[in-house]
Amino acid sequence: MSDKKNLILSGFMGTGKSSVGKSVSEVLGFEFVDTDNLIENRCGKTIAKIFSEDGEKYFRELEKETLIGLPEHKIVIAAGGGIIIDQDNYNRLSGLGLIIILTASVESICRRIRNDKSRPLLSGENLNEKVRELLSQRRHVYDRISYKINTDRLSVADTCDAVIRMYRKNT
C-alpha cells in the first residue's frame, strides 16, 4: 500500500472525522493528522480561543498554512469542516488524496456536540438553527464531493469499515 494516496475525511463538525480517522489510520497503517490539532499545537491555544482572540479570518489562514507541507502519501487527514470551503484548500486536498465527506442529520449533529464548548461557530443559543444555517452555507461545497457516508446510524467501527471500503475501491 505504500503507493496509495492520502485519505481525507471532511464534513460538518460532529460527523465523526477525528474518531473515524484515527480508527481508519490504524487499519490502513497510515499516520493520522487532524488539521485542528495541528493548528492548536502550532498556536499553543484552542480553536475556540483562536476564534475569540484572533477571529475566524485568521483561523482560516492558519488552516491554509497547515495544508502546506503535509505528506503526499500514507496519511489520514481529518480536515476541519470549513477548510474545504476555500477553493485553494479544496484543490490542495483534492491533490493530496481521496476526499470522503462524512454527513449526519442536524438532529444527530446537535446530539453529538450539544455539550461541547470548543465549537466557536456554534456558541450561544439555538444550536439547531446555527447548525442548519452553517450546513446550508456549506452544502454547495459538500455536494460537489463524490464520496459521502452518512454516519447517523453507524457506529465508529461501522463508519470506519465503510470509509476503508470506499477508499480501497477508489484508489
Side-chain angles (χ1 to χ4, degrees):
M1 270 204 195
S2 62
D3 62 339
K4 294 282 187 177
K5 284 186 156 190
N6 297 326
L7 170 61
I8 299 99
L9 296 177
S10 194
F12 202 75
M13 45 192 118
T15 57
K17 298 178 298 288
S18 295
S19 53
V20 171
K22 288 175 189 170
S23 295
V24 168
S25 70
E26 289 174 14
V27 172
L28 293 176
F30 286 16
E31 180 184 348
F32 174 72
V33 173
D34 183 311
T35 58
D36 286 349
N37 289 345
L38 291 175
I39 291 168
E40 287 180 339
N41 291 339
R42 179 177 164 200
C43 293
K45 52 186 169 181
T46 66
I47 301 299
K49 196 162 192 149
I50 293 168
F51 265 76
S52 69
E53 292 179 358
D54 306 302
E56 182 177 1
K57 183 177 181 186
Y58 178 72
F59 173 74
R60 297 301 175 197
E61 288 302 315
L62 291 172
E63 283 184 320
K64 189 177 293 258
E65 292 170 13
T66 298
L67 294 181
I68 298 168
L70 286 177
E72 295 290 323
H73 298 288
K74 296 189 79 169
I75 62 172
V76 174
I77 303 167
I83 202 167
I84 63 172
I85 304 289
D86 179 274
Q87 186 64 45
D88 291 337
N89 292 346
Y90 173 81
N91 293 341
R92 172 82 177 133
L93 287 168
S94 294
L96 283 174
L98 181 71
I99 301 174
I100 297 176
I101 296 289
L102 300 182
T103 66
S105 67
V106 171
E107 294 74 25
S108 291
I109 291 168
C110 289
R111 186 178 66 252
R112 293 172 184 170
I113 65 173
R114 186 164 309 283
N115 297 318
D116 186 346
K117 303 300 180 206
S118 68
R119 314 260 183 192
L121 291 176
L122 299 177
S123 61
E125 300 295 317
N126 207 339
L127 180 61
N128 283 32
E129 185 177 309
K130 288 182 178 184
V131 168
R132 283 184 207 289
E133 183 180 321
L134 276 174
L135 277 172
S136 176
Q137 291 171 7
R138 296 176 180 183
R139 184 152 329 282
H140 72 284
V141 176
Y142 293 168
D143 284 349
R144 73 178 174 186
I145 308 291
S146 300
Y147 306 105
K148 296 177 185 67
I149 296 172
N150 185 296
T151 65
D152 277 334
R153 292 189 172 91
L154 298 177
S155 66
V156 170
D158 291 338
T159 306
C160 176
D161 291 344
V163 166
I164 289 168
R165 280 192 306 274
M166 191 174 283
Y167 175 78
R168 287 180 172 155
K169 181 179 178 184
N170 294 286
T171 57

